[in-house]
Amino acid sequence: MIASGGLDSTTVAFRLASQGVQVSLLSVDYGQRHRKELDCARRIAGHLGAWHEVVDLTGLGRLLAGSALTDAAVRVPDGHYTAASMRATVVPNRNAILLSIAAGTAIAAGADAVAFGAHAGDHTIYPDCRPEFFEQFAAAIRTGNAGFLPDGFQLLAPFLTVSKADIVEAAAKLGVPFELTWSCYKGDAVHCGTCGTCVERREAFTVAGVADPTVYAAALSVGSGR
């Protein structure tokens, strides 16, 4: 499965492992702004005792410039997710790229599924996290690999229709080590506490009624977006 080191993909990994699935984690260094998430993915793999590989596509970040996630010249927006402010965090075609690599790796290894952690809260901002993208991409994988897919091959996105708070609640029940996961777009020593994904993370813990062990650099009144 695709492992970003974030809360969503980590919870998917723990959920699959709890179901007796042999989980392998694949991360991609696509030249993103920081490597904190990749370090977290390695630690999560170690915690699960899972195979983990980081694919080196560092040069891709230069080609995907213009996003706050790949381009140091673009400011990371603070506050709540909105179509206007968070547009700067879109990396063109990212999930299609990551899923293509994961699908190819899985098929070559004879694995019967690829999983990723998109959730309902991503739909407004990120078109490659929407159900219609997932359905059409799954069809493309089946068509493009007809005759070579393991029996019952699936593309899994178990959180595609649930909220971030739902994921936090599920993660708590699964015993996910929240402190090993990374969400912040800025990649400093600790979570900044003010960027869109930090705000979303903080609010998800609050709504779920789960204690948040994350260390944030900035205090924030949850719900203020400031």
Side-chain angles (χ1 to χ4, degrees):
M1 68 161 291
I2 298 173
S4 69
L7 180 56
D8 308 331
S9 64
T10 300
T11 305
V12 173
F14 270 72
R15 176 172 170 168
L16 293 173
S18 74
Q19 296 169 349
V21 175
Q22 182 178 341
V23 179
S24 298
L25 305 184
L26 186 73
S27 303
V28 178
D29 185 341
Y30 57 89
Q32 54 265 58
R33 194 182 193 102
H34 62 79
R35 304 295 178 273
K36 295 281 291 191
E37 57 189 15
L38 298 176
D39 292 338
C40 286
R42 291 187 185 95
R43 294 168 66 193
I44 291 158
H47 188 92
L48 286 170
W51 174 89
H52 179 235
E53 180 77 21
V54 179
V55 179
D56 185 358
L57 292 180
T58 49
L60 190 60
R62 176 175 52 82
L63 301 177
L64 300 178
S67 168
L69 273 61
T70 57
D71 192 335
V74 179
R75 185 184 67 83
V76 174
D78 287 326
H80 284 89
Y81 279 99
T82 67
S85 67
M86 300 309 292
R87 188 179 181 87
T89 65
V90 173
V91 178
N93 211 40
R94 180 178 64 174
N95 279 348
I97 294 168
L98 302 186
L99 284 166
S100 291
I101 294 169
T105 303
I107 294 165
D112 60 5
V114 170
F116 77 125
H119 67 89
D122 290 332
H123 296 177
T124 301
I125 309 301
Y126 305 112
D128 58 1
C129 289
R130 296 171 188 164
E132 54 266 40
F133 165 80
F134 175 79
E135 293 161 5
Q136 292 181 36
F137 190 87
I141 291 297
R142 288 193 295 270
T143 301
N145 295 278
F148 295 92
L149 294 171
D151 291 341
F153 184 86
Q154 301 178 78
L155 188 61
L156 304 173
F159 298 140
L160 197 60
T161 60
V162 306
S163 71
K164 190 82 165 188
D166 293 327
I167 294 173
V168 169
E169 185 176 354
K173 293 176 180 176
L174 290 165
V176 170
F178 292 117
E179 68 280 2
L180 296 187
T181 66
W182 187 266
S183 297
C184 184
Y185 285 148
K186 296 182 182 179
D188 294 326
V190 297
H191 284 71
C192 73
T194 58
C195 71
T197 191
C198 277
V199 171
E200 181 193 47
R201 182 184 177 106
R202 299 173 82 147
E203 291 186 342
F205 276 97
T206 298
V207 172
V210 174
D212 184 359
T214 312
V215 177
Y216 298 101
L220 181 72
S221 175
V222 173
S224 71
R226 299 194 305 270

